[in-house]
Amino acid sequence: MSPQNLVWLKMETSDTPMHLGVLATFKIPAKADKDYLSDLATSMREGGEAVAPWNQRLSFSGEGILGSRLLKDDHFSLDHHFRHSALPQPGGEKELGILVSRLHSNPIVRDGPLWELHLIEGIAGRRYAFYLKVHHALIGDVNLLETFMASLSTTARQRDVRPIWTLPLPNKQGEEDEASDDNLAEHGIDTSGANNGIDQFKSVMKPYTFEALKKSAFQLPALSAQFSRNAPRSTLNRKINGQRRFSTFHIELARIQTLADATQSDRKQVLIYLCGTALRRFFKEYNSLPDESLIAMAPVSVSALGDTESVRVLKLLRLPLATDVGDPLSRLEVIKASLNKARQVARTLPTPLSDGYNIVQSINMFSKQLMGVGRFVPKGFNLTISSTDGCDSALFLKGARLETIYPMNHLMQFSALSIDCVNYGGTLNVGVVGARDTLPHLQRIAVYLGTALNELEELVLGDEVVS
C-alpha cells in the first residue's frame, strides 16, 4: 500500500472512522413492475465478479500498519458487502437521513474488503437509493463520486448493469501481488520481506525533511500568510465521537450562475458565500458565533481562473468565510477577494513548494488525531469545504434516472463539520456531514443554505427573482 493510504489506516479510531460515502437517489421508471428492485438486486449480484481492489483485504505483517498490504480475499462474500434494505414508512427524507447517518457512523470492519454498498428501497415518490461506503485507504486519491458515476449509463435504454465492484479503479494495480511488486520495483522500491510499507514510506519521503519543507513553504509571503493565524475557537473544534449526522441541500445550478453573473463573481465564490452565511446564522442561533471569521480548509483549483495551460490543484488552502461580516454584500466581497488571493497562490506556487506546503499542512491536520496531543495542536481551520465537477448530462441505472447524488466525507478530531458539493445534471448537490453530539440540529445548516440563497437573490435581483 502507498504511504498515503497507510496513514489513513493509522489515523482511524472508533471516534474517527476514515471512510468516504456517496448517497444517490433514483426515480423508478414509470412502467416498471413491482419486482423492479428485486430484479435490480439480482442483476447486480449476477453482474460479474469483483476485481481488485474490491476483492482485496488487508494483510498485516509483524511491522503493524506500516507492513500492511492488500491481498486477494479468498473468502470474499458479496452478500457481506452488497446489502438490500427498506426504509420504514412514510419513507421520507427524514427516515432516509436517519438510516444513512447511522450507516455512515459505523466503521468498516477490517477482516474483509473495505467497502459496503446498500440498496435502499421504500422511499416516497417511487424512488430508491444507494449508499456506498469505501475506506479512504482502499481508494487513495481516486474520486469516489466519479467512480460511482462511471458505473451508470448515459441512456435509459441501456439495461445492462455494471456493478461498481466489477470496475477497476484508476491507478490501481491488478489483483495479483506480483503485478504490484513489479510496478514498485520499477520505481526503485524494494518489495522483499515484511518491511514493504516501511520501504515505500522511506523511498517517497527521502527527498523531504520537515525542516526543509517548512523552509520552502515560507519562501513566498503569499503562502506564509496561510500560516499567519490560527482559526478562532469554535464549537466545531471540540473533541468528537464516532456518531454522525447527515443532511442535504439540492438546487438548480442556473440560480447559482445567475447570482454569479449579477455580482461579477463565479459559482465557487457564490457557493463559499452561501456556506459562510448559513454558518453565521446557525451559530448566531446558538449564541456561539466567534468574533473572528470561521476558516474552512478547501482545495483550490487554478483551472477556475480559465488558465488552460494548467489544471494543477493546490490542496488544503485556508479560506476565511467572512462569518464576522454582518452585511451580506460586504461578506460576498470579502469572500471573493479571499478566494482570488488563494487562487493566485495556487497559480504561482512552484510544484516543489506546493508539495512542501501540502505536507506541512497535513502534518498539522494529522497531528490532531494523536491521542493526548491533538487538543494542543494549533487549530488551522474550523471545517472543510470541497466541490467536485460531476456530470452535466443525466445518468441512469437499469432505466432509472439518477436524481440526486451527494458526497459524504469523513471527519477528523477537532473538526466536526464537512460540507461537500458536486454538480450533476444542472443541479448543485450539497452533502453536510457533522458530529452528532457536537452539532445538534445539523439539518438547519442545509435549510440555511437555502435561506442564504433566497436572501441574496432578493438583494441582487429584486423583482427578477424567479421562484
Side-chain angles (χ1 to χ4, degrees):
M1 297 183 69
S2 70
Q4 297 93 327
N5 291 352
L6 293 174
V7 168
W8 292 116
L9 286 175
K10 183 65 176 176
M11 289 195 305
E12 184 169 56
T13 69
S14 59
D15 291 333
T16 55
M18 291 296 162
H19 55 257
L20 306 172
V22 172
L23 175 65
T25 64
F26 293 81
K27 182 74 171 181
I28 298 176
K31 297 182 180 180
D33 58 33
K34 60 182 179 63
D35 296 325
Y36 173 85
L37 286 174
S38 60
D39 291 343
L40 171 61
T42 300
S43 298
M44 295 185 70
R45 291 191 177 95
E46 298 175 351
E49 294 188 0
V51 300
W54 305 103
N55 64 349
Q56 294 179 319
R57 62 172 178 82
L58 286 171
S59 175
F60 297 97
S61 72
E63 300 295 334
I65 291 291
L66 284 179
S68 63
R69 302 182 62 177
L70 286 174
L71 300 176
K72 183 176 180 180
D73 185 359
D74 294 329
H75 302 286
F76 174 79
S77 172
L78 183 60
D79 289 338
H80 181 72
H81 299 276
F82 176 48
R83 304 170 187 178
H84 188 179
S85 56
L87 286 184
Q89 293 299 313
E93 296 298 325
K94 178 181 178 180
E95 288 75 23
L96 180 61
I98 291 173
L99 173 60
V100 173
S101 295
R102 184 172 71 247
L103 292 174
H104 202 61
S105 300
N106 298 328
I108 297 177
V109 180
R110 291 190 179 186
D111 60 359
L114 303 175
W115 63 274
E116 297 174 8
L117 179 64
H118 296 259
L119 170 58
I120 305 168
E121 66 173 83
I123 305 177
R126 287 180 56 83
R127 294 181 298 148
Y128 67 93
F130 279 105
Y131 166 70
L132 173 65
K133 176 164 69 174
V134 183
H135 199 289
H136 211 313
L138 189 72
I139 61 173
D141 292 330
V142 175
N143 189 303
L144 187 59
L145 283 165
E146 293 178 355
T147 302
F148 182 84
M149 289 181 174
S151 68
L152 308 178
S153 60
T154 57
T155 173
R157 295 182 179 180
Q158 182 176 330
R159 296 305 174 107
D160 295 336
V161 177
R162 296 185 299 168
I164 194 169
W165 57 81
T166 66
L167 303 178
L169 296 182
N171 303 320
K172 293 290 182 180
Q173 297 301 309
E175 63 184 41
E176 297 299 326
D177 302 328
E178 291 78 4
S180 298
D181 291 345
D182 290 344
N183 181 71
L184 294 173
E186 290 178 2
H187 292 82
I189 299 176
D190 180 17
T191 60
S192 61
N195 293 329
N196 183 39
I198 298 174
D199 291 335
Q200 291 184 50
F201 184 81
K202 290 179 177 178
S203 176
V204 171
M205 294 302 296
K206 186 176 181 179
Y208 303 104
T209 65
F210 180 77
E211 289 302 321
L213 293 172
K214 185 176 178 181
K215 182 179 179 180
S216 66
F218 280 93
Q219 287 180 5
L220 291 181
L223 182 62
S224 64
Q226 285 282 320
F227 296 89
S228 61
R229 60 188 176 96
N230 293 329
R233 295 177 62 122
S234 166
T235 303
L236 293 170
N237 301 113
R238 294 178 180 173
K239 195 174 187 300
I240 65 174
N241 61 23
Q243 298 304 305
R244 303 289 178 260
R245 274 208 172 103
F246 178 66
S247 61
T248 62
F249 174 66
H250 174 79
I251 195 68
E252 294 82 6
L253 203 56
R255 292 179 65 182
I256 305 292
Q257 187 61 58
T258 298
L259 283 172
D261 294 340
T263 57
Q264 292 78 53
S265 310
D266 58 44
R267 294 191 309 213
K268 181 68 175 287
Q269 291 169 334
V270 173
L271 172 61
I272 297 297
Y273 164 85
L274 295 179
C275 293
T277 303
L279 291 173
R280 174 181 168 84
R281 181 185 294 267
F282 180 80
F283 285 108
K284 283 194 70 174
E285 188 174 86
Y286 291 97
N287 197 29
S288 58
L289 179 69
D291 292 335
E292 299 179 19
S293 173
L294 293 171
I295 294 177
M297 189 67 79
V300 175
S301 172
V302 297
S303 61
L305 293 175
D307 183 354
T308 58
E309 297 181 358
S310 174
V311 292
R312 182 163 43 90
V313 173
L314 179 65
K315 297 181 179 179
L316 306 179
L317 276 178
R318 294 166 17 122
L319 296 177
L321 301 180
T323 53
D324 57 335
V325 179
D327 179 68
L329 295 182
S330 297
R331 188 180 313 126
L332 177 59
E333 291 303 315
V334 172
I335 287 172
K336 287 167 59 177
S338 174
L339 187 52
N340 286 338
K341 184 177 181 180
R343 286 168 170 168
Q344 185 63 25
V345 173
R347 177 187 292 189
T348 59
L349 193 66
T351 300
L353 286 179
S354 174
D355 293 341
Y357 170 80
N358 284 337
I359 293 177
V360 169
Q361 286 283 46
S362 296
I363 289 173
N364 174 277
M365 183 170 60
F366 297 158
S367 296
K368 288 186 287 188
Q369 292 293 111
L370 300 178
M371 185 176 300
V373 176
R375 64 190 181 96
F376 299 109
V377 176
K379 307 301 182 288
F381 60 96
N382 302 106
L383 69 150
T384 60
I385 297 177
S386 70
S387 61
T388 300
D389 290 329
C391 178
D392 292 332
S393 58
L395 297 174
F396 301 86
L397 177 63
K398 203 175 178 64
R401 187 185 189 279
L402 174 66
E403 288 195 325
T404 62
I405 183 166
Y406 301 102
M408 301 179 66
N409 212 341
H410 57 75
L411 300 178
M412 293 188 179
Q413 280 298 351
F414 306 101
S415 181
L417 180 65
S418 183
I419 302 176
D420 303 279
C421 319
V422 61
N423 299 339
Y424 163 68
T427 62
L428 176 68
N429 301 261
V430 183
V432 183
V433 176
R436 185 192 68 185
D437 296 340
T438 305
L439 297 175
H441 307 294
L442 181 76
Q443 69 275 10
R444 293 184 184 177
I445 296 178
V447 172
Y448 295 158
L449 285 169
T451 302
L453 178 67
N454 294 335
E455 290 177 347
L456 186 59
E457 285 179 329
E458 292 178 3
L459 282 172
V460 174
L461 303 178
D463 295 337
E464 297 179 20
V465 175
V466 179
S467 301

